[in-house]
Amino acid sequence: MSSPLNPKTTHWEFSGLPGAIGITLGLPTLIIFFALITNENYSLTGINLDIQAIIDQLPQNSTEWIDLCFDKTCWLAYLTWFFGLVILDFILPGRSLNGVTLRDNTKLNYKINGLAMSGTLLAVLAARVYQSTNWYLPELQFIYDNHLKLTIVTTIFSFLLAIFVYITSFIPLITPNGVKTRERVLSVNGNTGSVIYDWFIGRELNPRIGTWDIKLFCELRPGLLLWFLINLSCIHNQYHKYGEITDSLVLINALQAFYVFDGVLNEEGLLTMIDITTDGFGFMLAFGDLAWLPWSYSLPARYVCLPEHKVSLGFSNIALILGIKVLGYYIFHSSNKQKSDFRQGKLDHLNLVSIPTKTGSKLLCDGWWGLSQHINYLGDWLIGWSWCLPTGFQTPLTYFYVIYFGTLLLHRQMRDEAKCRAKYGKQWEEYEAKVPYKIIPYVY
Ligand code: NDP
């Protein structure tokens, strides 16, 4: 379908349909594989995979497969978690903020209630700990004991959610006066006409039910907060089964919890990011937010909580890792803030070097943004290293995050470069000549 508002997409990302099918089948298989190689029955050591030990954990017949994929308790627990957060999202107070101007010249309004949401979750956890005997929380142990089943539940749920938003993207919206209907704003990347590709990449830009924004909710709530709980479930299991809590596991929990709550508390920053402004919401984002993020980012904690892989870091290693984290966070935070302040005119008095463009906005080439075109990505990547290093050097598996995230950032840099080149033309070339490095100064 092509219209003046929603032109047909001609550029296919991820190598088109083969890439979309490959990712749709490959990434869920990968997180299931992760669950099969980091559990108390079998865990990977080094790079030696015991294929038989992995196969032995899989169901032997269709009834067992159905039990694994559709375990009633796990489904009930996950649906309660997801829709419980939806209800909280509705009832908790928050600030109201407008997003960027869309192609139909409207702006969507968002409720920013990350503070109330985080406070509520932490208060519930604190109350449960207070009520508990010897710190035992059955819900955390339930998460630990069902990593594999919950991985599958979140994956199937993402498939279903992507089908739902794909179908609703064809239903015209009813305007507030209830009479006329108006066309939905589709993603510039998701209107190819191919059912599978558009379902995968996301057809509609901002699917909503009433004022409830599905994309913003999924980006920052059920998956991100589940990641925090999965990490806690690892500490919980280590303490209650093995009678100790290692410093490496505490450090991973603390560093990742900081990242989770930093994201949730600064959610307005997301409103101007590519995910919200450009990407459609389809399987890629639904699965990425709800299943991929919690189950792959929690790998370091899931690995070091196993007794055969426990790591005691000691003071100097902890200090070194904290140093990497602080440096990464400083670069990440101050560079993003500098760009945002610059764009809002808050740094005009500093007379920073910049290039005016034909669109009216300026490209900053001073401060952090004079060092590389995406210095903020470097900071983010260093933060990732601080999550993996506490696992020691037992297996490359626990470094999966920095490898994957480095690849994601490279891909994102290329996508952004293509976008900026098309948008700014000659001025972008001028900018590239002034700031030649893409991410790491003097390296790349
Ligand atoms: P950037 O914050 O680098 O934003 C890129 C956009 O900023 C460009 O499209 C352009 O937009 C504008 N821009 C580019 N160069 C300049 C300049 N020199 N001066 C002024 N404006 C400029 O990229 P992202 O949105 O991808 O990332 C934001 C943050 O999110 C990063 O810190 C990144 O690390 C993080 N991130 C985290 C992920 C995760 O999973 N944890 C995933 C992806 C990103 P315009 O059209 O407005 O000019």
Side-chain angles (χ1 to χ4, degrees):
M1 187 187 83
S2 181
S3 71
L5 177 64
N6 292 310
K8 200 171 162 71
T9 304
T10 49
H11 173 73
W12 298 48
E13 301 204 32
F14 301 103
S15 309
L17 203 50
I21 295 172
I23 293 173
T24 302
L25 299 178
L27 293 192
T29 309
L30 192 59
I31 53 168
I32 290 168
F33 176 71
F34 287 157
L36 294 171
I37 61 170
T38 46
N39 64 68
E40 288 175 317
N41 297 320
Y42 172 69
S43 70
L44 176 78
T45 305
I47 49 169
N48 300 319
L49 267 187
D50 183 345
I51 303 289
Q52 194 53 48
I54 295 169
I55 293 173
D56 287 348
Q57 297 176 66
L58 291 171
Q60 305 299 316
N61 54 49
S62 55
T63 316
E64 285 181 18
W65 271 109
I66 290 171
D67 287 347
L68 178 68
C69 298
F70 298 100
D71 181 279
K72 280 198 194 75
T73 322
C74 286
W75 270 97
L76 189 64
Y78 187 70
L79 293 177
T80 307
W81 167 249
F82 187 94
F83 289 105
L85 289 175
V86 174
I87 293 169
L88 281 179
D89 203 29
F90 266 107
I91 59 178
L92 288 175
R95 281 184 302 130
S96 152
L97 267 188
N98 280 338
V100 297
T101 309
L102 301 174
R103 288 199 308 281
D104 63 354
N105 278 326
T106 61
K107 282 184 184 182
L108 292 175
N109 190 262
Y110 294 89
K111 183 168 162 190
I112 303 296
N113 59 2
L115 181 63
M117 186 66 94
S118 313
T120 306
L121 178 70
L122 293 177
V124 170
L125 264 177
R128 295 287 298 126
V129 170
Y130 180 72
Q131 289 174 335
S132 68
T133 310
N134 189 25
W135 310 76
Y136 187 82
L137 297 190
E139 50 275 54
L140 282 185
Q141 196 55 43
F142 174 83
I143 294 176
Y144 189 84
D145 293 338
N146 291 286
H147 278 182
L148 176 60
K149 285 181 178 168
L150 289 171
T151 302
I152 295 173
V153 168
T154 51
T155 301
I156 297 174
F157 187 85
S158 314
F159 266 85
L160 298 176
L161 184 59
I163 292 173
F164 172 77
V165 290
Y166 178 76
I167 292 173
T168 54
S169 74
F170 289 93
I171 304 170
L173 285 167
I174 297 171
T175 51
N177 61 21
V179 185
K180 286 190 196 141
T181 55
R182 70 181 166 88
E183 210 179 329
R184 287 175 190 250
V185 179
L186 305 183
S187 158
V188 285
N189 301 317
N191 191 22
T192 62
S194 156
V195 176
I196 294 177
Y197 183 83
D198 292 350
W199 165 83
F200 165 80
I201 204 90
R203 189 166 183 274
E204 188 174 354
L205 184 58
N206 301 108
R208 287 187 156 205
I209 297 177
T211 55
W212 179 61
D213 193 272
I214 301 177
K215 186 161 68 168
L216 187 69
F217 174 79
C218 287
E219 287 264 312
L220 289 171
R221 300 286 184 260
L224 206 59
L225 296 174
L226 179 60
W227 172 25
F228 168 66
L229 293 186
I230 295 167
N231 282 352
L232 279 185
S233 82
C234 294
I235 290 203
H236 191 269
N237 188 66
Q238 194 181 52
Y239 176 67
H240 287 287
K241 266 200 199 131
Y242 307 107
E244 63 174 338
I245 300 178
T246 48
D247 57 6
S248 53
L249 189 51
V250 173
L251 185 63
I252 295 169
N253 262 265
L255 295 179
Q256 295 196 335
F258 180 84
Y259 191 86
V260 167
F261 289 105
D262 188 50
V264 175
L265 295 176
N266 293 306
E267 60 191 319
E268 59 261 52
L270 206 69
L271 300 186
T272 50
M273 275 176 62
I274 301 173
D275 303 40
I276 297 292
T277 59
T278 314
D279 291 340
F281 186 76
F283 178 72
M284 187 176 74
L285 268 189
F287 172 77
D289 292 340
L290 304 181
W292 175 259
L293 183 145
W295 298 111
S296 69
Y297 289 23
S298 61
L299 259 183
R302 288 154 72 195
Y303 193 82
V304 284
C305 81
L306 296 167
E308 63 273 34
H309 303 309
K310 74 174 184 180
V311 176
S312 294
L313 290 168
F315 180 75
S316 50
N317 287 327
I318 292 179
L320 180 72
I321 293 168
L322 278 176
I324 293 172
K325 162 80 181 191
V326 170
L327 175 68
Y329 186 74
Y330 174 63
I331 298 175
F332 166 77
H333 195 263
S334 54
S335 58
N336 279 324
K337 185 168 179 340
Q338 190 177 49
K339 176 156 68 81
S340 159
D341 286 351
F342 171 77
R343 278 284 168 94
Q344 291 170 46
K346 291 182 188 168
L347 305 182
D348 286 354
H349 61 287
L350 296 177
N351 289 324
L352 297 172
V353 182
S354 63
I355 299 173
T357 69
K358 58 185 176 190
T359 67
S361 54
K362 291 180 192 162
L363 290 168
L364 178 61
C365 13
D366 208 337
W368 287 112
W369 299 89
L371 295 176
S372 79
Q373 294 165 20
H374 285 282
I375 191 75
N376 49 352
Y377 288 5
L378 175 63
D380 218 349
W381 198 50
L382 285 176
I383 294 174
W385 277 98
S386 75
W387 301 343
C388 303
L389 286 168
T391 63
F393 300 100
Q394 309 180 64
T395 170
L397 179 69
T398 53
Y399 287 81
F400 173 79
Y401 178 78
V402 283
I403 299 166
Y404 145 79
F405 194 53
T407 316
L408 181 144
L409 291 176
L410 276 179
H411 180 250
R412 206 174 168 97
Q413 174 267 316
M414 287 187 263
R415 275 177 88 193
D416 195 57
E417 186 174 298
K419 178 204 115 173
C420 290
R421 182 159 294 140
K423 183 170 174 183
Y424 297 122
K426 276 221 165 327
Q427 284 103 34
W428 183 255
E429 284 169 23
E430 203 183 314
Y431 172 66
E432 281 182 311
K434 271 208 162 73
V435 185
Y437 298 105
K438 296 185 189 304
I439 299 176
I440 308 179
Y442 306 105
V443 178
Y444 170 75

